Amino acid sequence: MRLNNARLGFVAIAFSAAVSGAISTSAYAAEFSFTATNTTNTAITEVLVSENKKDWGYFDIGSGIKSGATANLVWDQSTNSENCAQWVKASYADGSESEPAKFDFCEDGLEINF
């Protein structure tokens, strides 16, 4: 899965994160990824991200993330110069959105539960 709007960062909508690894100040690596799990009863239709909570980009999650399903999402390399700290939120099939939450996406093993 790739971020479609490369200029935009990551916005938040996860309620829990399990992280391990080193913290970095900018996203400078060959590939950054994280795991997203849908813990709701409604399918996720979009995962949105932002550095500033104003301009939002999104990951291509195909037909969505079904209730109870987990997906591995990978940042596009064109975002490597962006800050590691990004906001993330989800849009759901019922038209609702989660509240934005901030995460450090440079950390290894990041897991976000929506």
Side-chain angles (χ1 to χ4, degrees):
M1 314 236 166
R2 298 256 177 218
L3 182 66
N4 285 333
N5 192 337
R7 297 192 69 206
L8 300 179
F10 229 62
V11 175
I13 179 154
F15 299 109
S16 69
V19 278
S20 64
I23 297 175
S24 179
T25 58
S26 293
Y28 294 110
E31 181 177 281
F32 290 97
S33 66
F34 66 100
T35 301
T37 301
N38 183 353
T39 61
T40 70
N41 292 325
T42 305
I44 294 173
T45 57
E46 289 183 309
V47 174
L48 302 152
V49 298
S50 175
E51 286 185 292
N52 59 17
K53 289 177 70 176
K54 294 177 185 173
D55 301 312
W56 296 87
Y58 61 93
F59 280 87
D60 179 359
I61 59 171
S63 60
I65 304 172
K66 295 179 182 180
S67 178
T70 298
N72 187 48
L73 302 179
V74 178
W75 286 87
D76 189 270
Q77 287 184 352
S78 64
T79 65
N80 285 359
S81 64
E82 293 184 2
N83 292 324
C84 292
Q86 301 277 341
W87 293 94
V88 64
K89 66 181 179 179
S91 293
Y92 298 96
D94 65 4
S96 65
E97 284 188 351
S98 63
E99 290 295 319
K102 196 170 194 177
F103 293 93
D104 184 340
F105 288 93
C106 292
E107 295 185 28
D108 290 331
L110 179 63
E111 297 176 17
I112 298 176
N113 294 313
F114 293 95

